[in-house]
Amino acid sequence: MRLGIILLLFLSVTAVRATPKTDSLLLKLDSLLKQRDFFLQKKENRIALLKEQVKLSPDRFYIYEKIYEEYKSFIYDSAFSYARKMQAEAYRSNDPIKIASSKVKLSFVLLSSGMFNEALDTLLTVNRNIPDSIDIAYYSVLSRTYYDLVDFNRDNYYTERYTNLGNLYVDSALVLSKKGTKQYYLFKALKHLRMEQIDSAQQVYEYILSSFKLTDPEIGIAASTLGYIYQRKSRISDAIEMLTLSSMADNRACIKEALALLNLADLLYNIGDLTRAYEYVKLAMDDANFYGARHRKIQVAAVFPIIEGNRLDTVEHQRKVLAGYAIAITILTILTIIFAVIIYKQFKKLKEADKRIKLANTNLQNANTLLQEVNTHLLEANKIKEEYIGYYFNINSEYLVKIEAFKQAIENKLLLKKFDDIRFVVNNINLKREREELYFSFDKIFLKLFPDFVTTFNSYFPEEDQVVLKDGQLLNMELRIFALIRMGIHDNEKISKILNYSINTIYNYKARIKSKSLVPNDEFEQKIMEIKAL
């Protein structure tokens, strides 16, 4: 039964990946993403022209507003700055409509950056005696704030309250919107979605995309939301299509605040398209960092390590697959024989006496647990050995080349009887640089095996005593001492020779570090040994 389900899932995934329409759209998206710099330059040129107009315009408010519109989903800091400039200009002219408009736009930027309380506080100060167009924007930002609070907090106590408030403000926006317009249908679709009326929301979004001429930002929102609806209905091919269209629109418009590309990466990862998923999630991380919104970075950071880790595992697996098959078959054969013998003996014991069944089962479970622990340690030890054997031969081969070159240089000087030049050749050997390169190579291969070593090491200390590395530094002396310990080198004399320090210096380093740790001194090295390899 379970095998049948797995086979069915595999076939469905294959079908999704083989859909010609989705493949074609993804290829178009790949091509479009290669032009990111082109679209970015066009946007920056438009912004530069607008900034030049500020110097010439007698009424700066509307120029600031145009610059704000360019920045609002592009760069948070700049959008916030120009929203503030609009506000200052509005107060200078003492125009209540401009003041209200600037506050609504400032609230939108605060909301986009995840500053929900600040957005609500700003909206509460808006004078309600304003034109319908600004009033609609006011209710739109209010409704989105409460809906985003639901998504961000995910708290059962407040979800119903925030959803009801969001629905109330969407209703207000609907009342003010002209029926039959795309703005009206966008509000209507949003309300259906938030009220879990999924079929109605789907119908409205499909109508919007097929019946109106939309801007790229509007396509991005509508297609992304429709993709989410299709995903909930397990219409994976349709979801990929919509998220791809949304990502293309976001890229053309240089929208850095959207999540369509991230959601597409996550969906592709789940169906096995790891290469695209990794490329897209990297671009989504770049966009989140570019825009500067904290909650967007958190959302991307939640997905990025999963996809990146899986990709690294896949690459490593492909590199070792041939050797791995041979080793696996050998190990499985040995384990099969061992388990066959154990099971046979246990079977004979079970036939001899029923009283010994419970004890035999307990022993078997203990043996299996111990075997799993031993296998885990062996796998880690084998990985360390493989990496460091390669590292050892690489380093030694490099030094053999250098020694050969040095020997050849000396022989040449001797043949030419240039004895004074021999001293120059000898003095040209920079032992300090050679040692630093040796340390750097060690640090690099060690962190490849133990990528979480520095983070885990710092977790054993109060924040003020945690190790802070300099730019370009992989490990410092303190970390390197305990890295050697994690590799199984516990003898202070050996550590001192490797690191070219006296035994007393090594002892003092270790004692000082342990004294600052949150872990008891006698348990500290054991905690270091518990740090897991990749």
Side-chain angles (χ1 to χ4, degrees):
M1 180 71 173
R2 186 175 296 175
L3 180 60
I5 294 171
I6 292 172
L7 182 59
L8 181 62
L9 288 171
F10 174 77
L11 290 174
S12 66
V13 166
T14 304
V16 168
R17 296 183 67 187
T19 302
K21 189 173 183 180
T22 56
D23 282 349
S24 175
L25 280 173
L26 287 170
L27 287 172
K28 289 180 180 178
L29 175 59
D30 291 341
S31 176
L32 201 63
L33 290 173
K34 293 176 182 178
Q35 303 177 54
R36 282 163 65 88
D37 290 340
F38 168 76
F39 292 115
L40 181 65
Q41 188 61 53
K42 283 183 65 177
K43 190 172 190 70
E44 289 177 343
N45 289 341
R46 288 198 305 271
I47 293 171
L49 288 173
L50 288 171
K51 288 181 178 179
E52 286 296 321
Q53 292 178 28
V54 171
K55 303 172 185 178
L56 306 174
S57 176
D59 188 352
R60 296 183 177 183
F61 179 89
Y62 294 108
I63 303 299
Y64 286 153
E65 186 178 40
K66 289 180 181 179
I67 298 174
Y68 159 85
E69 290 295 332
E70 293 285 351
Y71 274 129
K72 71 177 183 181
S73 297
F74 182 51
I75 301 175
Y76 161 71
D77 289 337
S78 299
F80 179 84
S81 173
Y82 277 92
R84 295 286 296 165
K85 288 181 179 181
M86 285 176 62
Q87 196 172 40
E89 202 61 27
Y91 276 111
R92 187 186 62 79
S93 62
N94 198 26
D95 186 331
I97 295 176
K98 289 181 179 179
I99 292 171
S101 177
S102 64
K103 286 184 177 181
V104 171
K105 293 183 186 300
L106 178 61
S107 300
F108 177 86
V109 174
L110 293 171
L111 166 63
S112 298
S113 69
M115 300 172 70
F116 304 109
N117 289 332
E118 292 79 357
L120 289 172
D121 290 342
T122 303
L123 289 169
L124 288 174
T125 66
V126 174
N127 183 348
R128 302 305 318 290
N129 187 21
I130 50 180
D132 285 353
S133 60
I134 300 175
D135 216 11
I136 291 171
Y138 169 83
Y139 286 123
S140 174
V141 176
L142 264 176
S143 62
R144 181 182 159 184
T145 302
Y146 283 109
Y147 288 150
D148 284 7
L149 276 169
V150 171
D151 297 337
F152 187 79
N153 291 333
R154 298 186 182 278
D155 182 271
N156 292 332
Y157 181 80
Y158 288 104
T159 293
E160 184 177 358
R161 177 187 174 191
Y162 288 156
T163 301
N164 290 337
L165 285 169
N167 292 340
L168 177 68
Y169 291 123
V170 164
D171 282 339
S172 299
L174 276 168
V175 169
L176 295 171
S177 299
K178 185 179 179 180
K179 288 187 177 181
T181 62
K182 63 183 176 183
Q183 182 184 59
Y184 175 85
Y185 282 112
L186 283 168
F187 285 130
K188 188 176 181 180
L190 178 60
K191 184 181 179 183
H192 283 314
L193 181 63
R194 288 298 177 166
M195 293 182 70
E196 289 298 313
Q197 298 169 351
I198 302 302
D199 290 336
S200 298
Q202 176 188 329
Q203 291 173 7
V204 178
Y205 277 119
E206 288 174 344
Y207 176 77
I208 291 169
L209 286 168
S210 63
S211 303
F212 293 99
K213 185 176 181 180
L214 305 178
T215 63
D216 278 330
E218 290 169 341
I219 293 172
I221 293 171
S224 178
T225 311
L226 189 55
Y228 163 75
I229 292 171
Y230 287 151
Q231 191 172 356
R232 284 188 57 172
K233 291 187 169 187
S234 298
R235 292 172 56 177
I236 303 303
S237 293
D238 293 333
I240 291 174
E241 179 185 341
M242 287 298 106
L243 289 172
T244 303
L245 290 173
S246 177
S247 299
M248 292 168 69
D250 291 339
N251 189 67
R252 287 192 299 266
C254 278
I255 294 173
K256 304 297 185 180
E257 189 252 345
L259 288 175
L261 195 61
L262 174 65
N263 294 333
L264 179 59
D266 191 36
L267 193 55
L268 292 175
Y269 167 77
N270 289 329
I271 66 169
D273 192 345
L274 300 182
T275 302
R276 273 201 177 98
Y278 178 70
E279 293 301 322
Y280 292 174
V281 81
K282 280 199 306 180
L283 293 175
M285 177 65 81
D286 291 342
D287 285 347
N289 290 328
F290 190 94
Y291 181 72
R294 289 164 289 182
H295 69 309
R296 286 287 182 260
K297 294 179 184 178
I298 293 170
Q299 288 172 304
V300 178
V303 178
F304 186 87
I306 299 171
I307 296 177
E308 183 179 36
N310 196 289
R311 175 182 174 274
L312 292 174
D313 289 343
T314 303
V315 172
E316 186 67 16
H317 172 73
Q318 291 172 346
R319 190 178 67 83
K320 296 182 177 180
V321 65
L322 294 177
Y325 281 145
I327 295 170
I329 291 170
T330 303
I331 293 173
L332 285 173
T333 303
I334 294 171
L335 287 176
T336 301
I337 295 171
I338 292 172
F339 281 124
V341 172
I342 293 172
I343 292 169
Y344 176 73
K345 289 183 178 180
Q346 294 299 324
F347 181 74
K348 286 183 67 178
K349 290 179 181 179
L350 288 172
K351 290 180 72 175
E352 291 172 3
D354 291 338
K355 293 181 181 179
R356 300 174 64 183
I357 292 176
K358 189 177 292 185
L359 178 62
N361 286 337
T362 302
N363 289 338
L364 184 58
Q365 290 175 359
N366 291 338
N368 285 337
T369 302
L370 181 61
L371 183 61
Q372 289 175 359
E373 292 177 357
V374 170
N375 283 339
T376 300
H377 290 305
L378 285 174
L379 287 172
E380 183 178 278
N382 285 339
K383 184 172 179 63
I384 293 172
K385 286 178 182 177
E386 287 174 8
E387 292 290 346
Y388 274 91
I389 286 171
Y391 165 70
Y392 171 81
F393 279 108
N394 184 52
I395 290 296
N396 277 291
S397 64
E398 289 180 1
Y399 277 108
L400 284 172
V401 170
K402 290 181 180 179
I403 290 171
E404 185 178 358
F406 177 73
K407 177 175 175 294
Q408 185 63 47
I410 294 296
E411 288 178 350
N412 290 340
K413 299 300 180 184
L414 288 172
L415 287 173
L416 298 172
K417 295 184 180 183
K418 295 182 179 181
F419 302 113
D420 292 336
D421 290 350
I422 293 175
R423 181 182 300 275
F424 174 77
V425 173
V426 172
N427 290 336
N428 198 39
I429 299 174
N430 191 334
L431 293 176
K432 181 179 178 182
R433 185 180 63 195
E434 296 293 334
R435 187 173 293 279
E436 287 175 352
E437 289 179 358
L438 180 65
Y439 290 159
F440 181 80
S441 298
F442 170 80
D443 295 348
K444 187 174 179 181
I445 197 71
F446 178 80
L447 289 176
K448 181 180 178 184
L449 287 167
F450 299 91
D452 297 327
F453 182 80
V454 177
T455 303
T456 307
F457 184 88
N458 275 332
S459 70
Y460 299 153
F461 297 88
E463 187 174 352
E464 63 272 11
D465 291 323
Q466 291 180 0
V467 175
V468 178
L469 296 171
K470 299 176 182 177
D471 290 342
Q473 194 176 34
L474 299 178
L475 297 175
N476 61 13
M477 186 54 63
E478 292 92 336
L479 290 171
R480 206 170 283 129
I481 290 171
F482 287 96
L484 289 170
I485 291 173
R486 179 60 187 88
M487 296 301 300
I489 304 172
H490 296 273
D491 186 77
N492 288 340
E493 184 176 355
K494 289 182 180 179
I495 294 173
S496 68
K497 288 180 179 178
I498 292 171
L499 299 180
N500 197 32
Y501 281 84
S502 68
I503 295 178
N504 286 338
T505 301
I506 299 300
Y507 178 82
N508 289 336
Y509 266 120
K510 290 171 65 177
R512 186 173 71 251
I513 291 170
K514 289 179 181 179
S515 67
K516 296 178 181 179
S517 173
L518 300 171
V519 180
N521 288 2
D522 55 348
E523 299 177 13
F524 187 80
E525 292 192 17
Q526 180 58 37
K527 292 291 287 184
I528 294 296
M529 296 301 294
E530 291 174 3
I531 297 176
K532 299 295 183 182
L534 182 66

